[in-house]
Amino acid sequence: MSGRVLALWCPDWPAVAAAAAVDLSPMHPVAVTSANRVIACSAIARSEGVSRGLRRREAQARCPRLHVTPADPDRDARLFEHVASAVDAVAPGTEVLRPGLVVLSARGLKRYFGSEESAAERLVDEVSALGIECQVGIADELSTAVVAARHAALVPTGSGAKFLAPLPMRELAAEPSLSDPGRGDLVDLLHRLGIRTIGAFAALPASDVASRFGTDAVLAHRAARGEPERPPSARVLPPDLDVEYRCDPILERVDAAAFAGRALAEKLHRALSAAGVACTRLTVSATTANGEQMARTWRCAEPLTPDATADRVRWQLDGWLTGRTEARPTAGIAVLRLEPVEVVTSGALQQGLWGGVGEEEERARRALVRVQGLLGGEAVQVGVLSGGRGPAERITLLPLGDERAPARDPGQPWPGRLPEPSPTAVLESPPSVSMTGAHGVPVTVTARGFFDATPERLRWGSREWAVTGWAGPWPVDERWWDPADSRTAARAQVLLEESRALLLIWSDNAWSVEGIYE
């Protein structure tokens, strides 16, 4: 993107929209939940002990007067429209990344208001006049500006990499609208490899990142280095991709407008498919029966699917037709138009988990969400890297859709932690095994944390192998100050014949298998 970029971010927007929908005071604590866990909360709620990732019941126990409401993307988008309109009135050309975050070019604003600082102050004042808090960030590149907005920083020209360098790696995955859904997994992997800051990641050679990680890692690396970010595609848009619907009768109700928007989205994607491209930036525009013109541009990190396009069209029409009275059109919508502003080649898209380019993966995700609806939020869980000494302790299982917040901070030192590599499989119920030395003498761990004999054989059930190598043992002495909750154990890695490798743990005077290496 050429020129400077300004990002305006409204913190905790889902909670702000939820409060506005029921006319709650800004001083009333609010939490938004999904799959029975808090995914967003107001600053007042946080001051009373509520945080993202808490179960709904625990959040209500910490703050009895907490107003709890389920997540509603339609509500968030509808109520954000008047914020986007206020920004657009001062600085035309606003792009919505998601409800709660917009970006625009800072070049014209600087010329008009005299300085970037004055432009930022004016935009904050405009949004504050609506009773909504916001933060502004300005930088050379879009992704850097979004990070800067979270820190309310104006990054000097050419200093993007210097600004990002000391920040933790999780900042690169904090904004879902600018990254692949797997960005969090990438950050976790890099963290395990010892790369904790954006500067450390930027210091890696670009060729090494490109050869070892995926496409999204390359984009993240370019962002970390503050390199110019090219648009998703520099190619000329194929002709005749715009689609238009002339409404007869005039659309005045949200449900009728949403139905027309879905049909138009299907028509757009048929045209995109025929041209062999996918859309990453879409402009939704409408003309009313009285000739009023309305338009809004949506930018997405990933190519839009038909469902995702229909959702954005519905959100936008809902915001226009049911927004503030002074900003609402004076007549129904007569013409609805979708214009793809940026496209990428469909063949270049990374295949999804189920082999598709987005639609199949979205269908699979919806199926998992349906399972959650039938069996409860805990029925579908995903693992998140957590803090701890043993492999099982370093996994926090969270319901699908919840914020990926570990139970314990993996960045802490954790003395006595198992060294790399981690086992491929961690056994939930470690089976007992026996390890013997010369003449069949059982091998144990002494009080000083050493083997009392050289391991030679290992028996697991009816099978037995020769021990060809080992590492450890590594003593574990946890909560020694609390006799009721203390734990003493030791872990060891053993290599068996036939290239088998196991992680063993010595506890309660017996060996058991905690993990398997493959």
Side-chain angles (χ1 to χ4, degrees):
M1 180 173 291
S2 59
R4 302 272 284 170
V5 181
L6 182 148
L8 185 143
W9 174 57
C10 298
D12 310 317
W13 179 253
V16 173
V22 293
D23 294 326
L24 278 180
S25 165
M27 300 306 295
H28 195 96
V30 178
V32 179
T33 62
S34 175
N36 207 37
R37 287 186 182 267
V38 176
I39 61 171
C41 59
S42 61
I44 299 297
R46 282 195 297 274
S47 68
E48 299 192 21
V50 180
S51 61
R52 288 182 294 178
L54 283 182
R55 297 182 186 276
R56 172 175 176 162
R57 186 170 298 177
E58 184 178 353
Q60 290 174 315
R62 294 188 180 187
C63 180
R65 64 192 188 101
L66 182 69
H67 174 75
V68 181
T69 181
D72 185 351
D74 292 0
R75 173 193 62 208
D76 299 344
R78 180 178 68 252
L79 295 177
F80 189 67
E81 173 56 26
H82 73 283
V83 178
S85 298
V87 175
D88 206 37
V90 176
T94 300
E95 290 185 10
V96 180
L97 295 186
R98 61 166 175 81
L101 178 63
V102 298
V103 294
L104 58 152
S105 172
R107 183 177 180 182
L109 289 174
K110 180 180 179 180
R111 289 201 304 263
Y112 186 79
F113 291 105
S115 68
E116 292 179 344
E117 291 79 1
S118 298
E121 291 175 3
R122 176 61 184 277
L123 289 177
V124 170
D125 290 343
E126 288 293 327
V127 177
S128 298
L130 303 175
I132 297 171
E133 296 183 359
C134 70
Q135 296 179 186
V136 167
I138 301 179
D140 294 341
E141 308 302 333
L142 187 147
S143 59
T144 308
V146 171
V147 175
R150 291 178 173 271
H151 295 268
L154 272 61
V155 182
T157 302
S159 301
K162 182 179 179 181
F163 165 74
L164 294 172
L167 299 179
M169 276 295 296
R170 65 174 180 271
E171 292 279 358
L172 290 180
E175 181 48 56
S177 63
L178 290 179
S179 62
D180 186 90
R183 180 70 63 86
D185 295 334
L186 171 66
V187 170
D188 289 343
L189 174 59
L190 293 172
H191 195 276
R192 292 197 299 273
L193 295 175
I195 300 173
R196 309 296 169 80
T197 65
I198 296 179
F201 182 47
L204 295 177
S207 58
D208 290 350
V209 175
S211 61
R212 288 168 172 79
F213 305 103
T215 303
D216 185 62
V218 175
L219 297 178
H221 190 248
R222 291 180 60 85
R225 296 168 68 118
E227 296 182 2
E229 296 173 351
R230 300 191 309 168
S233 174
R235 58 181 291 181
V236 178
L237 290 175
D240 302 326
L241 287 183
D242 300 357
V243 293
E244 184 177 281
Y245 175 69
R246 295 189 174 275
C247 312
D248 185 15
I250 301 299
L251 300 177
E252 296 181 343
R253 300 196 326 270
V254 173
D255 56 347
F259 183 80
R262 176 166 290 278
L264 197 59
E266 295 285 350
K267 182 178 179 181
L268 170 66
H269 279 269
R270 285 196 296 271
L272 293 172
S273 178
V277 296
C279 179
T280 55
R281 188 152 62 114
L282 175 72
T283 295
V284 182
S285 58
T287 304
T288 69
N290 289 341
E292 297 164 298
Q293 300 285 338
M294 301 175 292
R296 181 72 66 228
T297 300
W298 290 80
R299 178 188 287 270
C300 305
E302 292 187 308
L304 289 166
T305 64
D307 287 338
T309 300
D311 285 343
R312 283 158 177 77
V313 175
R314 185 180 73 253
W315 296 342
Q316 194 58 62
L317 295 174
D318 197 1
W320 282 333
L321 295 176
T322 63
R324 293 181 305 156
T325 303
E326 61 271 21
R328 195 177 302 168
T330 59
I333 295 176
V335 180
L336 182 61
R337 185 179 180 86
L338 301 182
E339 177 186 353
V341 181
E342 288 179 343
V343 297
V344 293
T345 304
S346 293
L349 301 180
Q350 184 175 358
Q351 294 291 308
L353 179 61
W354 279 268
V357 294
E359 185 174 356
E360 292 81 0
E361 186 161 357
E362 178 65 19
R363 189 181 303 119
R365 183 178 180 84
R366 290 186 179 184
L368 295 177
V369 172
R370 191 175 301 117
V371 172
Q372 285 183 309
L374 293 173
L375 303 180
E378 306 288 337
V380 181
Q381 297 185 326
V382 295
V384 178
L385 179 66
S386 183
R389 296 174 175 83
E393 300 164 12
R394 301 192 67 196
I395 301 173
T396 298
L397 291 177
L398 298 173
L400 178 71
D402 283 12
E403 180 192 9
R404 306 189 67 180
R408 296 171 296 275
D409 184 5
Q412 296 299 319
W414 297 105
R417 185 176 67 183
L418 180 71
E420 298 291 345
S422 298
T424 307
V426 178
L427 305 182
E428 185 175 0
S429 300
S432 298
V433 296
S434 62
M435 190 160 57
T436 58
H439 310 296
V441 177
V443 176
T444 64
V445 177
T446 67
R448 303 181 69 87
F450 298 104
F451 287 138
D452 64 353
T454 300
E456 293 188 1
R457 307 289 297 179
L458 184 139
R459 175 178 289 275
W460 184 349
S462 60
R463 301 199 62 183
E464 185 173 347
W465 299 272
V467 177
T468 60
W470 67 87
W474 297 284
V476 177
D477 192 5
E478 297 177 324
R479 302 186 67 84
W480 49 266
W481 62 88
D482 184 0
D485 195 28
S486 62
R487 182 193 185 201
T488 302
R491 291 186 172 88
Q493 297 167 332
V494 295
L495 179 64
L496 311 178
E497 57 185 333
E498 302 176 7
S499 300
R500 298 176 182 271
L502 304 176
L503 173 65
L504 305 182
I505 184 168
W506 171 260
S507 181
D508 297 329
N509 295 318
W511 288 106
S512 55
V513 179
E514 194 174 27
I516 300 174
Y517 297 93
E518 295 179 356

